Amino acid sequence: DIQMTQSPSSLSASVGDRVSISCRASQTISRFLNWYHQKPGKAPKLLIYAASSLQNGVPSRFSGSGSGTDFTLTITNLQPEDFATYYCQQSHSAPFTFGQGTNLEIK
Amino acid sequence: EVQLVESGGGLVKPGGSLRLSCAASGFTFSSYTMNWVRQAPGKGLEWVSSISSTSDYIHYADSVKGRCTISRDNTENSLFLQMNSLRAEDTAVYYCVRDVVFAYWGQGTLVTVSS
């Protein structure tokens, strides 16, 4: 099974900041990597698919990069609605594992 | 509009069984792989199971293998998860999710396993 490791597990930032979250796969997954965020009590929302493609309706301040085993989600000009928990997920092969999550908090 | 509506959650005793259902609409259900993903209270997301469009390929997380059975009815646009021998650690919100890139999620149904 492919293990996904996110870092950091938590992050404090201010509105207007630029932040990055890393995700590492235990084996190569090409670009089969997706990013989600989730707010309390809500279903997760897809932000980025195929490592760097922006899902329809997602603001352009979100971007993704990477391939193989190392991936990054970057958020520029943080907005109040961006404070949430972020997850990476590999869609290369079942089981379609998630990272453990990164909690992005307001500083 | 894509809609996924789960049902069947509730309180069950350890060792008991539940059958979750997901009613799909707004897309050609028979064309998509479907999944169950769960989230224990205060914890992260855990993929549980997937079933291909024609039910040819089925996968389970190790944590539920042998205790859960995923199935679908393409004539009724419905996805199911039969859960047996339930444990306290199965307590979670269970989401029905379309495709292997999880763009569409249901609202979730809560399963609580407790005596």
Side-chain angles (χ1 to χ4, degrees):
Chain A
D1 295 356
I2 300 171
Q3 309 303 318
M4 306 301 294
T5 304
Q6 278 181 243
S7 61
S9 56
S10 64
L11 183 55
S12 293
S14 301
V15 172
D17 283 355
R18 177 182 186 272
V19 298
S20 292
I21 300 169
S22 295
C23 181
R24 175 166 289 178
S26 60
Q27 62 191 75
T28 184
I29 56 170
S30 184
R31 294 176 62 82
F32 292 98
L33 190 283
N34 313 301
W35 290 97
Y36 307 83
H37 74 183
Q38 185 183 31
K39 298 181 183 179
K42 300 291 189 183
K45 177 184 175 183
L46 176 66
L47 302 171
I48 301 285
Y49 63 94
S52 61
S53 295
L54 194 66
Q55 174 68 355
N56 287 345
V58 174
S60 58
R61 61 180 181 272
F62 291 92
S63 63
S65 64
S67 65
T69 61
D70 291 303
F71 303 87
T72 302
L73 173 70
T74 300
I75 314 169
T76 57
N77 187 24
L78 270 172
Q79 296 300 298
E81 60 268 29
D82 299 336
F83 292 94
T85 301
Y86 288 79
Y87 296 93
C88 61
Q89 175 247 340
Q90 63 86 11
S91 50
H92 177 274
S93 56
F96 301 116
T97 37
F98 290 91
Q100 77 277 19
T102 295
N103 186 24
L104 176 55
E105 301 175 319
I106 299 177
K107 187 183 289 183
Chain B
E1 179 193 4
V2 172
Q3 285 203 317
L4 299 165
V5 180
E6 303 94 337
S7 60
L11 175 63
V12 61
K13 289 181 167 52
S17 297
L18 273 180
R19 189 189 195 217
L20 306 183
S21 300
C22 171
S25 61
F27 65 101
T28 305
F29 180 75
S30 60
S31 296
Y32 288 89
T33 290
M34 296 296 296
N35 305 266
W36 290 99
V37 173
R38 70 183 180 182
Q39 187 169 37
K43 302 297 185 182
L45 300 167
E46 180 186 18
W47 170 87
V48 173
S49 182
S50 69
I51 184 168
S52 63
S53 58
T54 55
S55 304
D56 289 340
Y57 299 98
I58 289 175
H59 302 278
Y60 298 99
D62 286 345
S63 57
V64 304
K65 201 172 293 183
R67 301 187 299 118
C68 291
T69 302
I70 192 171
S71 62
R72 65 190 295 162
D73 184 341
N74 286 346
T75 65
E76 295 289 336
N77 294 339
S78 295
L79 176 72
F80 306 101
L81 186 68
Q82 176 67 43
M83 307 172 67
N84 301 324
S85 303
L86 282 161
R87 306 166 179 166
E89 53 265 36
D90 295 317
T91 294
V93 173
Y94 286 73
Y95 293 101
C96 169
V97 188
R98 193 186 88 169
D99 212 350
V100 297
V101 176
F102 301 156
Y104 295 98
W105 299 64
Q107 84 289 350
T109 187
L110 176 62
V111 172
T112 303
V113 184
S114 174
S115 54

